[in-house]
Every structure is written in structure tokens, then in C-alpha cells.
Amino acid sequence: MSKLFFTFLASFAIFMAVQSTASAYTKAIMTDPFDLMWGGFNVRYETMVSPKNSIVPEFRYNYGYWSWTTGFEVGATYRWYLRDVFPVRTKGIEGFNVGPFAIIGMYHYDWPGHSDETDYNLVIGGEASYKWVFSGFVVEPTLRLGFAPVKSDYMNGYRWGFGVNIGYGW
């Protein structure tokens, strides 16, 4: 019985390995767990729009960034997958990518002893990342650098960040 079970398990593993390498992952849903440490939660959805390009809409909820008690951000990134840069050939949403991003945010300030305020901002910039997909599990370190073209009490003129998105690809 154990030999039969082992044979079935090995056959299933080989089938899944062949299945996952045969087709490219073209969609993913991700979040950055480190964002939770800074008082936020984000969700990113990526989908391919061409063999070397994808679009990534995102939503972020801030629930305690500095003195701003709540905030929402909505944005998007357009990515170019640079498939010929590294010797490792990738397909779909895997590999090294760069692209511009834009984020619009609204923040509500409510600190005891101060008046309630609402502030808005716009951030535009660039992003670089490398995505690995392991049987549907996505890992993506990301570096962002942006600036706020419009003065805001919330922003100090620029925005940079490093994160690691994790999620599921299909």
C-alpha cells in the first residue's frame, strides 16, 4: 500500500511540475506583509496586456501612518518585462520588470487638540522589481522612487520604498 501511495504521490508531483512549466502565469494577486508594520494594508492585481507588458492596479488602506489616522490610496503601474537583460529566460509575469507608477491618495487627520483635516496627494515615479513564481506562489521584491508634483501636508515632496509582495499567480 505504501509503494502505491508513493508512486501516486511521485506521479502527481511530476505532473504538477510539468504542468506549471508548460504554461506561463499571466495574472497575480499580491500584498506586501511589511506594509502591515507601517500601518497599512495593500492589494495589487497584475495582468498581462502583451507578451512583455502588464498593468498593476493597486489599492492601499492606511490606518495609522504618523498622525494621519486613516487614508486611502489608489494607483497603477505599467510594467515592461526585460526578458533579454538576464541570461535566465522568463515568460508571463515572471522576471525583471520596470515601469512608471501613479498613486492618488486621500488622508484624514484627526488628532486630539487639533482640527480635523483632509488632505489629498498625487505621487508619480518609477518602480523596479523581480518576480519569481513557484507553482503559483508569487514572491516579488520591489523598489519604488517617486515624487509629489503638488504640495501636500501629508507628503514631503518625495516617496521611496522597498517591499516584498507575496501572493498567488495563475
Side-chain angles (χ1 to χ4, degrees):
M1 181 68 166
S2 64
K3 285 184 182 182
L4 181 63
F5 178 72
F6 178 74
T7 304
F8 172 75
L9 190 61
S11 300
F12 182 74
I14 291 169
F15 173 75
M16 290 306 289
V18 170
Q19 183 76 6
S20 66
T21 58
S23 63
Y25 294 93
T26 59
K27 297 178 181 3
I29 188 160
M30 304 166 285
T31 188
D32 186 351
F34 294 110
D35 203 17
L36 295 171
M37 295 188 314
W38 301 109
F41 174 76
N42 72 359
V43 175
R44 303 180 92 190
Y45 171 75
E46 181 172 10
T47 186
M48 296 297 294
V49 293
S50 77
K52 291 188 177 183
N53 300 99
S54 71
I55 190 162
V56 185
E58 65 182 279
F59 174 78
R60 183 171 193 266
Y61 173 66
N62 296 319
Y63 54 83
Y65 187 80
W66 296 89
S67 58
W68 296 90
T69 56
T70 57
F72 298 94
E73 295 176 344
V74 177
T77 302
Y78 188 82
R79 292 182 170 175
W80 285 274
Y81 279 87
L82 306 177
R83 306 218 187 274
D84 302 326
V85 174
F86 294 102
V88 177
R89 298 289 179 226
T90 61
K91 55 186 177 179
I93 58 170
E94 296 181 87
F96 182 70
N97 59 77
V98 295
F101 73 87
I103 297 173
I104 298 172
M106 182 192 82
Y107 312 94
H108 181 72
Y109 176 80
D110 185 16
W111 221 13
H114 295 82
S115 62
D116 288 353
E117 293 180 31
T118 300
D119 196 12
Y120 304 91
N121 76 342
L122 169 67
V123 177
I124 56 175
E127 175 180 282
S129 64
Y130 194 95
K131 181 181 288 152
W132 292 275
V133 182
F134 306 102
S135 298
F137 181 72
V138 174
V139 178
E140 179 186 55
T142 302
L143 178 65
R144 277 186 164 180
L145 180 60
F147 70 97
V150 178
K151 172 112 173 70
S152 167
D153 291 336
Y154 174 76
M155 293 295 296
N156 54 5
Y158 66 92
R159 180 177 186 168
W160 66 274
F162 176 77
V164 178
N165 295 311
I166 61 171
Y168 178 75
W170 64 95

